[in-house]
Amino acid sequence: MAKAFGASRVVGVCSSKNSLWVKETLGADEVHEYDTTGKHLPSTEKKFDVIYDTVTSSHDHNFEPEGSKLLKKKGRYVLINGGAWKMVSMVFKLITRINFGNSTLFLSKVNRADLETIKDMVEKNQVKPFLDEEVPFEDEKIEKAFQKLKSRRTRGKMVVLIPPLAQE
């Protein structure tokens, strides 16, 4: 999506197992393999406008301190996860309007216009959604799907197939 919105350079950070997939399938210009460097981000002279962090959480490595150092002066560090401290600081920021640093916790508000934009981008082949797995709506399969999600080893989204309601 970053390229579809005009990014000139996209750097992916992933495990070495996913490196080729991130570069060839997702279209990253460069890939940094965190598992070959002891979970450290790349040291680079090039600074970034935006870092979109999908890994940092209360249950995983926190890349934010390193990542923030790789930003341009007015760059933004955007997290989709975060520990308790990040949640508290974002609530504090919303209430007081005081900003500590350049990081933002991404909270989405679904609206029709944004969904229409994404739909148009998919139809024009500007972006491609990736499905990791379709899971039948069965107890055992749902439990396995949640375990996979919690392991953070999915490539794309997981879809639960809910059967239609019987017509009366």
Side-chain angles (χ1 to χ4, degrees), residues 94-114:
L94 287 170
I95 293 170
T96 65
R97 303 283 188 231
I98 296 173
N99 188 9
F100 295 104
N102 55 2
S103 69
T104 302
L105 184 63
F106 180 80
L107 302 170
S108 65
K109 291 182 180 177
V110 177
N111 64 66
R112 186 177 186 96
D114 289 349

Side-chain angles (χ1 to χ4, degrees), residues 14-22 33 35-36 153-155:
C14 62
S15 66
S16 53
K17 180 179 104 177
N18 290 317
S19 184
L20 191 61
W21 185 78
V22 168
E33 300 170 353
D35 57 342
T36 62
R153 297 292 175 242
T154 59
R155 285 183 171 183

Side-chain angles (χ1 to χ4, degrees), residues 4 116-129:
E116 290 287 338
T117 298
I118 293 169
K119 178 185 82 73
D120 291 344
M121 293 169 80
V122 169
E123 288 174 350
K124 294 175 183 173
N125 291 317
Q126 295 173 318
V127 297
K128 182 180 179 196

Side-chain angles (χ1 to χ4, degrees), residues 38-132:
K39 287 199 173 184
H40 292 285
L41 294 176
S43 58
T44 177
E45 295 298 316
K46 298 176 185 176
K47 299 291 185 182
F48 297 93
D49 295 305
V50 177
I51 293 176
Y52 182 67
D53 181 346
T54 64
V55 175
T56 294
S57 74
S58 56
H59 305 327
D60 209 334
H61 186 77
N62 182 3
F63 286 105
E64 185 181 3
E66 280 183 80
S68 294
K69 294 175 186 171
L70 299 174
L71 290 169
K72 292 180 180 177
K73 185 172 179 136
K74 293 192 177 193
R76 302 295 299 167
Y77 193 91
V78 181
L79 296 102
I80 65 165
N81 298 301
W85 172 246
K86 182 51 65 181
M87 300 292 184
V88 169
S89 68
M90 290 299 126
V91 169
F92 182 80
K93 178 181 171 181
L94 287 170
I95 293 170
T96 65
R97 303 283 188 231
I98 296 173
N99 188 9
F100 295 104
N102 55 2
S103 69
T104 302
L105 184 63
F106 180 80
L107 302 170
S108 65
K109 291 182 180 177
V110 177
N111 64 66
R112 186 177 186 96
D114 289 349
L115 293 175
E116 290 287 338
T117 298
I118 293 169
K119 178 185 82 73
D120 291 344
M121 293 169 80
V122 169
E123 288 174 350
K124 294 175 183 173
N125 291 317
Q126 295 173 318
V127 297
K128 182 180 179 196
F130 291 94
L131 297 181
D132 183 88

